[in-house]
Amino acid sequence: MKTTILSVDKTVDNNEVYQQAVDILKNGGVVSFPTETVYGLGAIATNEQAVQEIFKAKGRPSDNPLIVHIGETQDVLKFASIVPPAAKKLMDAFWPGPITLILNKKPNVIAPSVTPGVETVGIRMPSHPVALQLLRKLGEPLAAPSANRSGKPSPTEAFHVFNDLEGRIPLIVDGGSTEVGIESTVIDMTVEPPIILRPGSITKEMIENVIGSVQLTSNESKSEAPRSPGMKYIHYAPNAPVLLIERDRNTIQKAVQSLQEKGEKVAVVGPDELHIQEADWYYNIGASYENMATHLYKVLREIDQSDATIILAVETDEVGIGTAYMNRLRKASDDKRYFSSTISENE
Ligand code: TXA
Ligand code: MG
């Protein structure tokens, strides 16, 4: 299968591109499109065969549910049996935008593979103008996970999608770099208090300002059955191992030196002002938490192109989007930290 990339200018009405995407989707195919968070790989959410194409293209385990993307607020009632008042408040405050609400699903509407084994459905209305245009021209909701191969970081550029899925999907709609850079906040609204299953750029603090107290799930409690089925899968693993390290220049310099003495080629990922000269590569990831989140996946993919044998990733405080940033770093590192004592053990 040939994979075509077609660019759409955000400000121009680019009818032909949208029409091609709509035709493929109506014929049961899949199309990659940009959202404000990351690129998605969409299929019509009521077409079971089309949805199965998504799992095939990604190599994704088929028991992990997909998020349904809608173009109009009232579409939520096509798939959700009930919208609790607190969910309505979040929709009013943050849609269109990067937050997914888990709601009880209506029986027998959605394609079974979208929500395998669960009585709920995750729904969001993206704010990216290209995603919204596509959904509105199509007139049907799209089931869409991130458009990466399973186990790769989510794509924030059209060429990331191309690198992962070339030959496996017919069309990528290119709308430039995505703004947020990490996936949407996922919040379970079927429980009281609601639980944030995946932190994102709509933060706990922002949500609590609208509906009061909510809980943040701990991904790290591995003994517990995962609430969000996606949590049990390994995500975002770069080729070289990632170790978290505290934000302290002296500690990082010593770590770099010690690792290099052992023959490692060390890439450091951290904020601009820390720039560690001694590292084989220093990846500036931005100054604010927003910037760091925006650039994280792009940088992890860049490091995969280098010869780095180990990646040191500098930790941030867990406030605001810092929580989401650290959540993704933990997944990438499988929660491993650098300890100088561990390293010096064998010396
Ligand atoms: O920003 C995003 O959310 C992107 C863009 C494309 O919209 N999509 C995305 O989809 O990240 P995906 O499939 O890569 O991640 C969806 C996450 C998974 O961890 C999945 O387990 C969880 O949401 N999820 C989906 N439906 C769920 C449900 N009914 N109950 C619990 N978790 C659910
Ligand atoms: Mg994903």
Side-chain angles (χ1 to χ4, degrees):
M1 183 188 293
K2 186 177 179 302
T3 302
T4 308
I5 304 183
L6 295 175
S7 174
V8 281
D9 190 300
K10 281 184 198 170
T11 55
V12 170
D13 180 25
N14 215 323
N15 271 317
E16 257 181 47
V17 178
Y18 288 112
Q19 197 51 53
Q20 281 199 43
V22 166
D23 288 346
I24 291 171
L25 291 165
K26 290 232 166 177
N27 283 318
V30 297
V31 170
S32 178
F33 62 96
T35 81
E36 71 279 22
T37 57
V38 299
Y39 275 75
L41 181 62
I44 290 177
T46 49
N47 183 334
E48 172 63 18
Q49 279 204 321
V51 172
Q52 285 185 15
E53 293 299 315
I54 293 177
F55 290 92
K56 270 190 230 156
K58 283 192 56 134
R60 175 180 173 117
S62 59
D63 57 343
N64 192 5
L66 306 179
I67 293 171
V68 175
H69 297 66
I70 58 176
E72 308 287 347
T73 314
Q74 67 264 24
D75 287 349
V76 76
L77 290 168
K78 287 185 181 168
F79 295 135
S81 58
I82 177 175
V83 177
K88 178 76 173 60
K89 281 188 190 165
L90 293 181
M91 287 162 51
D92 290 343
F94 301 119
W95 277 3
I99 184 166
T100 299
L101 308 182
I102 306 294
L103 301 167
N104 286 311
K105 77 173 166 188
K106 257 190 187 156
N108 308 323
V109 209
I110 212 158
S113 292
V114 177
T115 54
V118 289
E119 295 308 313
T120 54
V121 55
I123 305 179
R124 87 176 188 97
M125 180 153 109
S127 63
H128 195 293
V130 175
L132 275 180
Q133 279 263 39
L134 178 61
L135 286 163
R136 286 171 185 172
K137 285 181 192 277
L138 179 68
E140 304 209 48
L142 285 174
S146 50
N148 51 287
R149 279 303 288 267
S150 202
K152 286 277 174 194
S154 293
T156 59
E157 307 266 358
F159 79 87
H160 296 160
V161 181
F162 189 80
N163 286 347
D164 280 13
L165 300 178
E166 190 202 351
R168 301 177 148 258
I169 62 172
L171 179 63
I172 301 166
V173 179
D174 183 353
S177 314
T178 62
E179 204 179 304
V180 178
I182 56 171
E183 308 83 350
S184 62
T185 306
V186 176
I187 183 164
D188 187 348
M189 300 304 294
T190 68
V191 291
E192 186 54 52
I195 299 180
I196 298 175
L197 299 175
R198 178 173 76 182
S201 67
I202 306 283
T203 63
K204 182 168 187 272
E205 296 87 334
M206 289 160 75
I207 291 169
E208 288 185 331
N209 277 337
V210 179
I211 59 169
S213 181
V214 299
Q215 279 180 19
L216 186 59
T217 193
S218 110
N219 288 354
E220 280 68 53
S221 61
K222 288 189 177 128
S223 54
E224 235 176 85
R227 268 182 187 280
S228 179
M231 284 177 188
K232 69 180 186 222
Y233 302 106
I234 297 170
H235 285 299
Y236 331 120
N239 297 331
V242 181
L243 296 176
L244 304 176
I245 191 160
E246 69 182 282
R247 187 183 172 143
D248 177 77
R249 177 177 297 280
N250 200 15
T251 307
I252 302 170
Q253 280 170 336
K254 279 193 185 145
V256 167
Q257 197 191 356
S258 160
L259 289 166
Q260 285 171 339
E261 279 165 9
K262 292 179 170 5
E264 303 278 7
K265 291 189 179 163
V266 188
V268 179
V269 177
D272 298 7
E273 71 271 17
L274 212 57
H275 199 100
I276 307 290
Q277 303 275 357
E278 296 82 353
D280 295 282
W281 297 268
Y282 189 87
Y283 288 89
N284 281 340
I285 200 161
S288 68
Y289 294 149
E290 280 83 0
N291 271 327
M292 292 169 77
T294 303
H295 298 132
L296 178 65
Y297 290 150
K298 188 186 167 72
V299 162
L300 290 182
R301 280 178 181 263
E302 277 170 25
I303 296 179
D304 267 349
Q305 305 296 313
S306 79
D307 304 328
T309 58
I310 199 152
I311 304 166
L312 295 177
V314 180
E315 292 169 325
T316 62
D317 293 334
E318 306 219 16
V319 291
I321 303 181
T323 307
Y325 180 78
M326 283 305 298
N327 168 271
R328 303 312 191 271
L329 267 193
R330 286 219 180 82
K331 286 184 180 175
S333 65
D334 199 18
D335 213 12
K336 293 195 181 70
R337 298 189 78 252
Y338 176 86
F339 287 112
S340 53
S341 56
T342 328
I343 296 297
S344 53
E345 238 170 32
N346 306 324
E347 284 174 359

